[in-house]
Amino acid sequence: MLDSSRGWRGKGPSLEAWVARELKRCLQAQLCPGPARGSPGLKQLQARAVKLLAESPPGLVEPLVSIFQLQDADRSPLLAHVHRLHQEGKFKEAIVLGAKLRLQADLDVEKMCIPLLLQDKADLVERYVDGFPDLQRRLLALMDSWCQPGFDIRVVARRYPQTTLRLERLSPRALGRQVLRLLEQHGLDPDLCPNVVNQQRLAALRYLCYKRLVERSVSRESWAEHVQGLAGQDQWLQEQLLQLLASHDDAALVAQCALDLLLPEERLPASVAAELRQLRIQERTAEAPLEDGKDDYYQLPIPREHLHFLASWEDLARHQEELLQPGQVVGMDLEWRPSFGAGGRPRASLMQVAVEGRVFLLDLPRLSSPAGGQAPQAFFRLVSRLLTDPSITKLGYGLAGDLRSLGASCPALAQAEKQLRGSVDLLQVHRQMRAADRPAPGVDGAAGPRGLSLLVQQVLGKPLDKMQQLSNWDRRPLCEGQLVYAAADAYCLLEVYWALCREPARFHLSGDLARSLRLGRGERAGPGELPPLQKALTSPQQVPAGEDAAPEVPARAFRVVCDSMLQGLARRLRCLGIDVLVLATGEDHRRAAEVARQEGRVILTSGLPYHKLRAQVGAGRCLSVDCSLKARQQATAVIRHFNVRVTHSDIFSRCQACNCHQYLKVSKDVMKQLVWLSGHPEGPSGTGDKAAQIEDERETGSAPEEAPGGCTYEPSCRWLEEEDLQSRVPATLGDGTRLQLSGVPAGVLRRPGLRHFYCCTGCGKVFWEGSHLGRVAENFREVLEGVPGSHEPSRAPSPASSPS
């Protein structure tokens, strides 16, 4: 059938491309102008093509399907071939071919999807069920069943003993996020996934109990409304709520919560039940302490009559001149009713715009409907003019997110974020302040105000009163407390802005920042000049340690334990040579305190567990990490807080994956043999990222990369010996650790300048020399001892690049 005189000669197109071209040529020559669909000639060719599928390399599958129209062929042999691929453990090939041939309706969705989910290939699974609503529902039901309390994913994994699995990505929390995203993406009923929904509601109950019982930053009315809506009549959630309440020590406050929720007295702890009886008898409330101390919070500095609630086009027209005054500065914010269920962010209810001396509260439900009405048109014109006028400086805290919410709530303003001109996001300024201002020695990171409230406290001296934050912003009329809270949220932006402009150095901001904050008043950066605000945010200043700074501790002597929410921070700290243990997902946080006491570690945590953990360890041994920062910024803050000395020799002295600090050196030739023997002669090219392999091949050279300051890489770990291997196929160390050879790209094995590989003895992860060392040194330049220009001749003693 194929012309041997036109044979493939090993140059130019690949063998698969050549065969596909020849198949197409022969088909055209024999059946020109081509067989009709369903004709005997085409059916015969399809039958032969199906046989070829079993013997063809992956690159020929798509041409065969396309040329011979196999999606319309007899389904029985096609299904048999897909089942054969699955039985051989070629799960990816089976699901891809099944999707190309549109065989999903005839295949068991659980059987096809489970091994791919266990391998963290959820994207393939999503594409497989795309366009099949029934399969989407069955997939979500399967994933939801893995989130039920007490379920052990390892039981499922035992059915695939020969497959490399990634079970760490299948925690109930991670699975729950995927399920909620797919529910929203496909518009499916959340009732399909009761376990995930209950998991989400329980997390919301924990958050609300923390806000009410620990922070005391939510009103009784708002708290009770949200909790009743979440727990409803679900007995399991009600039981979890009772346990949450019983775990707090303030019996009087817990009794007040039980009274607000009408909880049965017999299900409460004895001390709480006694307090509840006293409350009923004396008809007293526990709200008074929460209302005391208003002077401890930021107070709106303008008279109440200068708050204007705008709900009609006439209101907008009356105040348009004040809102659009050229050259002024305005503070902007949004409020919406909190939502703790599936379905994405709710519609915005209120837009606040503050100018000097006044605050305007725009009623979004009234001003955005009906579509095409006089009020929506006037509102759209006003907001568009406000956003696009570069002479008006718009202030916000997370301004881009607020504008996206505004666009989602008001479709006419869907492009609001792109229209924005002349703005300053104080969230970015706040991040620079936090990066530059190391906490004072002895401060153990108390979880006080956060976000904008923390910025207001740092700049103006008092935090915001967040008591109304979780109230019902859809309710009309809004109560007086809500009106004042909303106005303060916007007006405080103006006062913070003015204070930062007056004294940037006081808040550890560069001198350029004051000018950048005033750019909205007509000043502009010169041609080719980086905008000052951008320069300020990309080069934070490091505050030198004072005489009373915390004692310096070497990186390899610093030991911490992190909760499961700080995985990214843990990897960054291990990358710098710090000994980091991480709690397993779902592990009791009290375990962190036990480990800290037994092994002399510092606790790094976030959110609710902080207060309990801090009480169980010594002063300064527990730090609440700011989760709004990126992992690299968190690591920098931790290093500065505890005065940790990090040198070039510390980088990669520990495995980022498992925390082990011992490696074995393997020559390139031995590594090639091990990879070949393990059945990966081409590395991960069959399933990996082709672009990544090209990049691997491009990074060639005759010597390892150098870190800043000329620090080359020459570790002192010992060579891998024959007796270190328990077996060569698969490559396994004496203690049973299997080397992760599938993660070594083919391009790395061919790199001419590469001499050695390094294998972690703890988890078997394989590392190699590359540019990662220099990138890490540059990323942590501000806290790294021996930066470019220094004379420290230290060397990195561990792998400088890895496949992940």
Side-chain angles (χ1 to χ4, degrees), residues 580-643:
V580 184
L581 295 183
V582 183
L583 295 187
T585 302
E587 191 171 2
D588 194 322
H589 285 88
R590 288 175 292 188
R591 175 64 181 157
E594 296 174 9
V595 172
R597 289 193 299 266
Q598 293 169 2
E599 302 182 14
R601 295 179 182 270
V602 168
I603 300 175
L604 303 180
T605 187
S606 61
L608 302 179
Y610 170 75
H611 289 278
K612 289 186 176 181
L613 293 175
R614 183 180 60 170
Q616 298 180 50
V617 294
R621 305 296 295 178
C622 183
L623 180 69
S624 179
V625 176
D626 187 347
C627 286
S628 70
L629 297 178
K630 295 181 179 179
R632 178 168 61 85
Q633 295 171 314
Q634 291 174 340
T636 300
V638 169
I639 289 167
R640 284 177 167 164
H641 181 83
F642 291 103
N643 200 12

Side-chain angles (χ1 to χ4, degrees), residues 411-569:
L413 293 169
Q415 303 300 315
E417 185 181 0
K418 296 179 180 178
Q419 295 174 345
L420 184 63
R421 298 291 183 274
S423 66
V424 174
D425 192 341
L426 293 177
L427 172 60
Q428 304 302 324
V429 179
H430 195 196
R431 284 175 175 167
Q432 178 188 342
M433 292 169 55
R434 284 181 291 184
D437 183 20
R438 189 179 66 163
V443 177
D444 53 1
R450 298 182 179 184
L452 177 59
S453 181
L454 177 60
L455 176 63
V456 172
Q457 181 183 52
Q458 291 171 332
V459 177
L460 304 179
K462 294 181 180 180
L464 293 173
D465 182 355
K466 308 298 286 185
M467 191 68 70
Q468 295 294 335
Q469 182 182 32
L470 297 180
S471 59
N472 184 355
W473 291 99
D474 287 342
R475 183 188 301 135
R476 295 293 182 271
L478 296 173
C479 70
E480 184 68 15
Q482 288 177 301
L483 295 174
V484 174
Y485 169 86
D489 249 16
Y491 204 86
C492 70
L493 297 170
L494 299 177
E495 296 209 281
V496 167
Y497 168 85
W498 294 327
L500 295 178
C501 284
R502 287 193 302 266
E503 301 179 276
R506 175 187 165 200
F507 302 104
H508 310 291
L509 303 174
S510 66
D512 284 335
L513 183 62
R515 176 172 166 247
S516 73
L517 289 174
R518 291 192 290 269
L519 283 182
R521 297 182 175 177
E523 191 176 354
R524 291 293 180 268
E529 181 183 354
L530 187 66
L533 179 59
Q534 186 176 345
K535 287 196 292 188
L537 293 176
T538 53
S539 56
Q541 301 173 357
Q542 184 168 347
V543 181
E547 293 181 1
D548 58 347
E552 186 178 77
V553 54
R556 301 194 203 190
F558 186 53
R559 312 174 76 202
V560 303
V561 55
C562 294
D563 66 32
S564 58
M565 295 296 293
L566 298 175
Q567 300 273 357
L569 170 61

Side-chain angles (χ1 to χ4, degrees), residues 787-800:
V787 295
S790 74
H791 302 289
E792 184 186 40
S794 58
R795 296 173 181 268
S798 55

Side-chain angles (χ1 to χ4, degrees), residues 134-168:
D134 183 58
L135 298 187
Q136 292 167 355
R137 285 189 285 268
R138 290 171 62 186
L139 173 64
L140 286 172
L142 168 69
M143 297 171 71
D144 179 72
S145 70
W146 291 359
C147 295
Q148 61 184 308
F151 181 81
D152 188 353
I153 192 65
R154 291 172 296 184
V155 175
V156 180
R158 291 191 193 108
R159 289 152 50 185
Y160 306 92
Q162 304 302 319
T163 305
T164 301
L165 307 179
R166 303 190 66 178
L167 302 186
E168 68 276 5

Side-chain angles (χ1 to χ4, degrees), residues 353-374:
V353 181
V355 302
E356 186 171 4
R358 295 182 183 277
V359 179
F360 301 93
L361 307 176
L362 282 65
D363 187 357
L364 294 183
R366 292 277 300 276
L367 293 174
S368 59
S369 62
Q374 198 167 9

Side-chain angles (χ1 to χ4, degrees), residues 14 36 51 62 74 89 137 167 178 233 236 305 395 413 442 444 466 468 482 551 597 613 682 695 726 732 765:
S14 67
K51 294 179 181 178
E62 190 160 355
D74 181 9
R137 285 189 285 268
L167 302 186
Q178 289 190 55
Q233 301 302 312
W236 183 79
E305 56 268 23
L395 305 176
L413 293 169
D444 53 1
K466 308 298 286 185
Q468 295 294 335
Q482 288 177 301
R597 289 193 299 266
L613 293 175
E682 295 301 325
E695 183 64 26
Q726 183 183 103
T732 307
K765 194 172 181 68

